[in-house]
Amino acid sequence: MYRLCSVLLLLCPVLQAQEINVNEKVTGTLGQQITLPCTFNNNGVDMQVTQIMWMKDSTNLATYSPQFGIHVQNKNDFNLTASPSSATLLIKLLRASDEGNYICEVTTFPGGNRRGITYLSVKAEPRNSAEALPVIAGDIEVPVAKCASANGRPPSQITWRSTLPGNFDTTMNNNTDGTYTVVSNYKLVPTWTADKQEVICIISYDSKESVIPITLSIQYSPIVTIEGYDNNWYLKRLGASLTCNAHGNPQPTVYTWKTADGSPLPNTVKAKDNVLYVDEVDERVNTTIVCEVTNALGSRASHQEVLVRDKPNTSGAGATGGIIGGIIAAIVGIAVITTVIMICRQQRKNQTAEDDDLEGPPAYKPPPPSVKMQEEKFPPIQGEEMLPLKAPLDHTDTMEDPEMTPPKYWSPTGSQNTATLEDDYLEQINPIYSELSIPESGSHRDDQGFVMSPAVYV
Ligand SMILES: *[C@@H]1O[C@H](CO)[C@@H](O)[C@H](O)[C@H]1NC(C)=O
Ligand SMILES: *[C@@H]1O[C@H](CO)[C@@H](O)[C@H](O)[C@H]1NC(C)=O
Ligand SMILES: *[C@@H]1O[C@H](CO)[C@@H](O)[C@H](O)[C@H]1NC(C)=O
Ligand SMILES: *[C@@H]1O[C@H](CO)[C@@H](O)[C@H](O)[C@H]1NC(C)=O
């Protein structure tokens, strides 16, 4: 009868009430301890627990009996804390082999056996590392970066992201402690252009991603160019120079200037690091000049043929003169136009100012104290005529007590009025403004409406 019920739980409501509670899944960390709880609840049904036993793969690990006490099979690895209603198994030092199903079996009288099953998984956090593998530039594919995730469980996944054309291979080592070491190498043909470029290693473990950028180091002997020869070196030209530009890995430090035929540099020439100064050009620099740059990997040179002319090439100089002349003409033109605009504006301003002094609504007249302040602000030459220029409207609005003249602040028409008046002013001052400001004036009004809103002001 009871056996039948333990199979057909749904048909036996009384026995269903008795429960064994265990965790369905528990995750422990390798090398640490973990407890697996098991509790029995008889829910008031009169029933005696005669034994609670923890098992793994049908091996008895630890047993509790109210009558005989606790028995632990392997005291080095396990312990049990128990009472008639609970038995908690302690695993002292987790190993990978501890992973699996743990069964808590409760024997009752007269109920028989009931079981709860916990799946224990054992994890180990990996140690991640990434490094560039310094290589020498070449045309055979080699590993240039290495990414490792050591002693993880379960094993990490490693992928790469790069704009450089390359590929990667990944190997996994099964360690004896049940952890995995995953190592991935990024490989490419190491051209010097890949030096200091970045590849990104992505290590995925436990649904977390570690994104590790790696800056490549590709060593190459110096790449050298010479700048500064304008094809117009002529006799007695003063202060000519050549600059030797070089880059390499490691950074080149030694620059050697010489002539291609091995003759010594003339003493009118001074070499300082990567610059060759020629105080005064003479026929002795009418030769091919060489800059040789050296780093730990070797030397490379750049050649510059120098042709010394008897006279300056004036057609080149003419072109330069033309450009300079053009620039000067443009500057003069801009200055003239600016002056004309300024004069016109000044006249219009004066005119509109006078108009407004006559037409201006009295409501907008600034109160006496503010007039004084504004007068002080303007230089005496411009005087009162300048006053209506935009300033009075803004100033009266901001300086008046909002409580005194609520309509201006609360009604949207009030603020719109202000904006329209302002626009009119600007239109009068500069007719272009009306064209330029059509799309903007709408938003300008919106802005004002927003600024004037009670929420902002109160
Ligand atoms: C096992 O657990 C019991 C009860 O918690 C405790 O008294 C005992 O010292 C433990 N034994 C070992 C070997 O840890
Ligand atoms: C290493 O472990 C993985 C995953 O558990 C398995 O698929 C693979 O066969 C193992 N390799 C070796 C050499 O044992
Ligand atoms: C420089 O050398 C070229 C030939 O290489 C020659 O034609 C020219 O006259 C030389 N200039 C001077 C100033 O000697
Ligand atoms: C002078 O310079 C111009 C432009 O730099 C060039 O086209 C021309 O060939 C040069 N003349 C001589 C004689 O080298």
Side-chain angles (χ1 to χ4, degrees):
M1 165 67 184
Y2 288 115
R3 190 163 298 215
L4 182 68
C5 283
S6 66
V7 177
L8 304 171
L9 281 173
L10 289 174
L11 302 178
C12 308
V14 174
L15 284 182
Q16 192 191 8
Q18 294 130 37
E19 291 169 352
I20 292 178
N21 287 314
V22 293
N23 294 319
E24 205 175 307
K25 195 173 187 317
V26 170
T27 300
T29 302
L30 196 81
Q32 298 188 357
Q33 65 172 43
I34 191 141
T35 54
L36 306 182
C38 175
T39 57
F40 174 72
N41 186 350
N42 69 2
N43 283 331
V45 176
D46 188 18
M47 201 163 276
Q48 293 288 317
V49 170
T50 58
Q51 180 179 283
I52 306 180
M53 184 159 70
W54 272 105
M55 295 179 289
K56 184 184 186 234
D57 303 329
S58 70
T59 304
N60 177 0
L61 300 175
T63 313
Y64 164 75
S65 151
Q67 196 180 351
F68 302 111
I70 290 172
H71 175 76
V72 177
Q73 206 76 3
N74 173 353
K75 289 197 169 70
N76 286 333
D77 296 340
F78 300 97
N79 199 359
L80 190 71
T81 311
S83 73
S85 61
S86 80
T88 299
L89 182 72
L90 169 76
I91 305 174
K92 291 177 178 172
L93 192 136
L94 272 180
R95 286 183 276 251
S97 56
D98 291 329
E99 198 163 85
N101 281 320
Y102 287 75
I103 300 159
C104 175
E105 186 179 84
V106 180
T107 308
T108 59
F109 179 84
N113 291 346
R114 302 288 305 279
R115 290 180 153 196
I117 300 178
T118 294
Y119 183 77
L120 171 67
S121 65
V122 178
K123 287 193 167 184
E125 193 81 20
R127 273 180 295 108
N128 293 341
S129 61
E131 58 179 337
L133 304 172
V135 296
I136 292 171
D139 41 24
I140 296 166
E141 191 178 80
V142 289
V144 293
K146 176 177 155 181
C147 204
S149 183
N151 302 99
R153 180 187 170 90
S156 304
Q157 312 284 322
I158 300 183
T159 57
W160 295 83
R161 213 160 48 210
S162 174
T163 53
L164 299 168
N167 54 64
F168 61 93
D169 55 32
T170 305
T171 56
M172 182 167 79
N173 203 37
N174 299 8
N175 304 318
T176 51
D177 63 356
T179 62
Y180 303 89
T181 296
V182 183
V183 176
S184 187
N185 286 318
Y186 195 80
K187 301 186 298 179
L188 49 72
V189 176
T191 57
W192 70 263
T193 49
D195 184 46
K196 300 198 171 55
Q197 301 280 311
E198 218 170 57
V199 295
I200 294 167
C201 167
I202 301 161
I203 301 178
S204 309
Y205 171 80
D206 195 21
S207 70
K208 291 189 298 264
E209 273 193 353
S210 306
V211 177
I212 310 169
I214 303 170
T215 303
L216 301 183
S217 173
I218 313 244
Q219 302 201 319
Y220 58 99
S221 52
I223 308 281
V224 186
T225 54
I226 295 180
E227 277 175 18
Y229 181 65
D230 57 1
N231 195 21
N232 191 19
W233 285 28
Y234 49 88
L235 288 173
K236 300 214 164 20
R237 176 172 168 177
L238 299 175
S241 68
L242 296 177
T243 302
C244 186
N245 293 319
H247 56 89
N249 180 1
Q251 189 68 36
T253 49
V254 181
Y255 291 78
T256 309
W257 290 93
K258 53 192 179 190
T259 57
D261 57 11
S263 61
L265 288 169
N267 49 17
T268 49
V269 158
K270 285 190 201 70
K272 186 165 191 305
D273 296 333
N274 68 327
V275 183
L276 186 79
Y277 298 97
V278 182
D279 291 341
E280 183 177 337
V281 174
D282 58 26
E283 54 278 347
R284 285 177 297 172
V285 293
N286 195 16
T287 182
T288 298
I289 289 178
V290 177
C291 172
E292 189 181 82
V293 186
T294 306
N295 71 359
L297 258 78
S299 299
R300 246 185 250 161
S302 180
H303 294 235
Q304 177 65 62
E305 270 180 47
V306 174
L307 175 76
V308 175
R309 302 163 188 280
D310 294 324
K311 292 193 181 74
N313 178 348
T314 44
S315 73
T320 319
I323 293 165
I324 292 169
I327 292 169
I328 292 170
I331 291 170
V332 170
I334 289 167
V336 168
I337 292 165
T338 313
T339 313
V340 168
I341 290 174
M342 296 276 281
I343 292 167
C344 290
R345 281 185 60 158
Q346 191 60 44
Q347 283 176 349
R348 279 176 185 276
K349 274 181 200 169
N350 291 349
Q351 203 182 339
T352 49
E354 276 162 9
D355 289 355
D356 262 88
D357 255 4
L358 294 171
E359 289 168 18
Y364 288 122
K365 276 258 160 82
S370 63
V371 168
K372 219 177 179 183
M373 279 179 63
Q374 283 156 6
E375 273 176 351
E376 281 164 8
K377 272 188 193 170
F378 287 96
I381 316 152
Q382 286 173 313
E384 281 200 1
E385 280 173 346
M386 292 298 291
L387 278 179
L389 233 190
K390 200 166 180 247
L393 284 174
D394 284 0
H395 280 230
T396 33
D397 276 0
T398 46
M399 286 170 76
E400 273 174 11
D401 186 359
E403 305 262 316
M404 301 274 283
T405 54
K408 264 195 190 171
Y409 291 91
W410 311 115
S411 86
T413 49
S415 62
Q416 239 171 25
N417 257 345
T418 317
T420 323
L421 278 166
E422 247 180 54
D423 284 353
D424 287 347
Y425 270 117
L426 288 163
E427 268 173 45
Q428 283 167 357
I429 291 160
N430 186 355
I432 297 165
Y433 173 80
S434 59
E435 273 164 60
L436 293 176
S437 66
I438 285 166
E440 239 176 61
S441 65
S443 64
H444 181 60
R445 274 168 206 169
D446 289 352
D447 285 350
Q448 280 217 342
F450 175 70
V451 169
M452 298 286 179
S453 80
V456 176
Y457 255 79
V458 176

